[in-house]
Amino acid sequence: MKNDAPQELLIHADHTNLGQPDVQVPITVAYGDGIGPEIMDATLKVLAAAGARIAPETIDIGERLYQAGHSSGIAPESWDSLRRTRVFLKAPITTPSGGGYKSLNVTIRKTLGLYANVRPCVSYAPFVATQHPKLDLVIVRENEEDLYAGIEHRQTDEVFQCLKLITRPGCEKIVRYAFEYARANGRKKVTCMTKDNIMKMTDGLFHRVFDEIRAEYPEIETDHMIIDIGAARLATRPELFDVIVTPNLYGDILSDIAAEMTGSVGLAGSANIGEHVAMFEAIHGSAPDIAGQGIANPSGLLLGAVMMLVHIGQPEVAARIHNAWLCALEDGVTTADLHAPAAGAGATAETAHPRLGTQAFAEAVIARLGRLPQTLKPVTYQQAPAPRALEVAPPLYVRAPAARKTLVGVDVFVHQSALSAEALAQRLQVGNTPALALQMITNRGVKVWPGGFPETFCTDHWRCRFAVTATEGTTTHREIVALLGTLTDAGVDVIKTENLCAFDGVNGYALGQGQ
Ligand code: NAD
């Protein structure tokens, strides 16, 4: 299998002329898998009829590429197109299960630095049946970090690990983006959701950065919710929310829930924004169960394309399409996935028509170009969602001076199933020196030595903390290497180590639960 990820990202495109009436903006288009080709055809037909000034370049990605031996699902020359146009309209692709294939969606987002995933979710009641007619919110999901770093290991017979990475630059970029988006789009409130009552260091950083940056946007109301109650409120009282900014995994889950609450996951479009490139798509997948039948709803990709048009400086075309699409909904134009409109609502002659196929739905939108919706709120796009056309990106991340870092111990992770915590501690204490000594053992994060409880269930995976013995003492990497040598000679199976450091005197590690 080939690894086709680009070695370095060169940016060639000149976007200074975006928005000028006579310029055809080059964009890269991928038709994708499953229903992808059907909904892309329909979408491009609407864009052409609406007068979108685009020059599409087509690339082939997804299933056929995987089958041809490209393990990443994309060929090297396709990266060239993306780096040249910097704008990508992408239909959904199928990720083959098993076989070591990585998700191409995740690869594209991370390789091109698409750090912000913007997912507007809006209810269209009474024309699309929903229990939440007032739902109108935008989820701004961090798109590159968190558990999606994809760093996973099997460590013992019983234990598998996925590394959750949250970085200060990642937090600053996504939080700023959420506030810039709110400001540019007249949104009044930004809610941050994390689980920082449990993950105090990683989610704690996200929350802290939110608190730092919100001070720069005094006109925007803010709050923070723990993700569990936040998700519960979203599902029951979505009108409480306007813009939600949240780490990757929570945002992924919340946005599917919110999209489905509007009536169908097939209705929502999504933008993936980076400092250099932006990608626009539907939030749903390739729907292999209905592929080739001509019944898929093209709305998600069409609304993704609307976001793209705003991004490349064609807001008037975007609004024309969006309003025509709203008119189609008002007229009862519908596809198979949408629930029937409530009785009496949208009761025009078309309500009685059978549900339309993909292409006929596109034709129905085209037939309404130039009209404004009567009941639903017409859309205007005077200003693009930040960063408009890539030129008004939030300020670039400025690295702070390095902290004073001191080494104060090491967590040694050990694989063993034969010994109790007490017996393991005895074996490990062979590594103690006057300066560095075994302080604690945890199992799945819970302290089991000293003073563990017999009720605590233990796996074969132990975190053994050696800490400096003197107050304000420090250790060295050489002392740690010597410790590992001694433990290995004593037959201890060391899986990995994590150094314990203090940064400007503040401990950079969490206590064990129960410590
Ligand atoms: P899916 O979103 O493709 O389908 C879920 C359900 O929703 C299916 O019943 C499908 O028929 C329906 N549906 C989805 N889009 C629709 C539309 N436009 N019109 C009408 N009905 C629609 O999710 P899945 O079945 O879990 O995934 C299928 C494949 O898509 C998988 O290989 C997955 O990895 C991939 N996927 C790709 C993307 C992407 O490319 N961005 C996103 C999610 C999933």
Side-chain angles (χ1 to χ4, degrees):
M1 287 184 187
K2 301 166 204 153
N3 178 3
D4 301 320
Q7 295 306 302
E8 61 174 330
L9 186 67
L10 298 174
I11 306 302
H12 301 295
D14 175 6
H15 277 220
T16 48
N17 53 8
L18 288 181
Q20 290 177 14
D22 51 341
V23 173
Q24 301 285 316
V25 178
I27 64 166
T28 302
V29 166
Y31 281 74
D33 301 318
I35 59 170
E38 303 160 45
I39 60 174
M40 183 59 84
D41 263 342
T43 297
L44 290 179
K45 209 177 277 176
V46 177
L47 263 60
R53 301 178 300 282
I54 53 170
E57 289 181 10
T58 302
I59 61 168
D60 204 7
I61 58 170
E63 251 178 336
R64 280 198 301 151
L65 274 287
Y66 284 119
Q67 282 158 9
H70 295 275
S71 64
S72 60
I74 181 168
E77 54 275 19
S78 299
W79 288 113
D80 295 340
S81 170
L82 291 170
R83 293 151 82 188
R84 192 169 48 246
T85 68
R86 302 200 289 166
V87 181
F88 189 18
L89 181 61
K90 182 184 130 314
I93 49 173
T94 301
T95 308
S97 6
Y101 296 109
K102 285 287 205 184
S103 160
L104 175 57
N105 293 313
V106 177
T107 303
I108 291 173
R109 287 174 199 155
K110 290 172 66 172
T111 306
L112 297 177
L114 309 181
Y115 64 90
N117 186 198
V118 184
R119 295 183 163 187
C121 298
V122 182
S123 286
Y124 305 98
F127 306 104
V128 178
T130 167
Q131 293 175 2
H132 303 283
K134 291 193 182 143
L135 192 156
D136 179 359
L137 55 88
V138 181
I139 294 177
V140 177
R141 159 193 171 198
E142 198 291 318
N143 217 15
E144 296 182 280
E145 306 192 337
D146 196 358
L147 290 158
Y148 289 61
I151 305 174
E152 294 191 287
H153 295 96
R154 178 172 182 173
Q155 296 190 316
T156 69
D157 291 316
E158 296 174 344
V159 175
F160 296 72
Q161 173 190 272
C162 176
L163 208 57
K164 171 164 168 139
L165 290 177
I166 301 279
T167 72
R168 176 166 270 278
C171 294
E172 287 195 13
K173 285 201 297 193
I174 194 66
V175 171
R176 267 187 208 290
Y177 184 87
F179 279 101
E180 290 290 326
Y181 181 94
R183 187 176 265 177
N185 290 276
R187 297 266 174 183
K188 305 276 181 282
K189 180 175 167 189
V190 179
T191 302
C192 175
M193 292 197 199
T194 69
K195 187 77 181 171
D196 68 336
N197 54 333
I198 303 296
M199 285 162 279
K200 294 178 194 295
M201 302 202 68
T202 47
D203 282 23
L205 175 64
F206 197 97
H207 187 176
R208 198 160 64 247
V209 168
F210 178 77
D211 284 346
E212 288 166 14
I213 289 178
R214 68 173 158 187
E216 297 171 29
Y217 298 85
E219 78 280 17
I220 295 175
E221 191 190 333
T222 58
D223 65 355
H224 172 269
M225 284 186 178
I226 299 295
I227 183 69
D228 29 11
I229 188 63
R233 290 269 156 78
L234 175 70
T236 50
R237 296 171 61 196
E239 64 279 7
L240 293 177
F241 301 98
D242 199 354
V243 174
I244 297 173
V245 63
T246 188
N248 204 337
L249 177 62
Y250 312 140
D252 199 2
I253 297 168
L254 287 187
S255 54
D256 265 34
I257 294 173
E260 189 72 13
M261 284 164 64
T262 68
S264 168
V265 75
L267 284 175
S270 141
N272 297 268
I273 306 285
E275 281 162 3
H276 308 296
V277 182
M279 174 171 84
F280 302 86
E281 57 183 345
I283 78 160
H284 59 74
S286 58
D289 53 335
I290 56 166
Q293 298 175 29
I295 59 169
N297 186 346
S299 298
L301 187 60
L302 186 63
L303 293 187
V306 164
M307 295 168 88
M308 177 191 76
L309 290 169
V310 179
H311 179 81
I312 63 174
Q314 300 182 21
E316 73 295 346
V317 188
R320 196 176 310 138
I321 294 172
H322 203 151
N323 285 322
W325 179 80
L326 291 171
C327 288
L329 291 187
E330 283 189 349
D331 290 344
V333 174
T334 185
T335 45
D337 56 311
L338 296 180
H339 302 173
T348 66
E350 286 209 36
T351 312
H353 289 182
R355 290 169 182 193
L356 298 184
T358 312
Q359 303 310 322
F361 184 90
E363 295 296 344
V365 175
I366 290 170
R368 289 163 177 80
L369 287 168
R371 278 179 43 188
L372 291 178
Q374 300 303 305
T375 307
L376 297 169
K377 197 166 154 232
V379 172
T380 50
Y381 289 116
Q382 284 146 8
Q383 198 175 357
R388 182 199 166 276
L390 308 168
E391 271 81 35
V392 293
L396 291 181
Y397 174 71
V398 180
R399 186 156 281 134
R404 189 175 50 85
K405 184 174 165 189
T406 44
L407 189 57
V408 295
V410 62
D411 278 346
V412 181
F413 290 76
V414 170
H415 178 186
Q416 76 89 26
S417 51
L419 303 177
S420 66
E422 193 59 46
L424 177 63
Q426 272 181 25
R427 179 173 291 184
L428 292 170
Q429 278 164 330
V430 67
N432 284 1
T433 66
L436 189 66
L438 183 67
Q439 184 192 56
M440 167 188 82
I441 301 177
T442 67
N443 197 291
R444 291 188 296 175
V446 179
K447 182 171 70 90
V448 292
W449 182 92
F453 284 18
E455 291 85 358
T456 306
F457 179 82
C458 290
T459 67
D460 59 359
H461 179 276
W462 309 78
R463 186 263 303 262
C464 311
R465 175 162 293 176
F466 286 81
V468 291
T469 51
T471 315
E472 299 195 13
T474 60
T475 184
T476 63
H477 290 88
R478 283 197 187 286
E479 276 182 313
I480 290 174
V481 170
L483 167 66
L484 295 179
T486 308
L487 295 181
T488 305
D489 291 345
V492 176
D493 180 359
V494 174
I495 307 160
K496 71 160 192 174
T497 61
E498 291 279 355
N499 289 343
L500 304 179
C501 296
F503 293 81
D504 288 335
V506 178
N507 286 345
Y509 49 92
L511 296 179
Q513 282 153 2
Q515 190 182 10

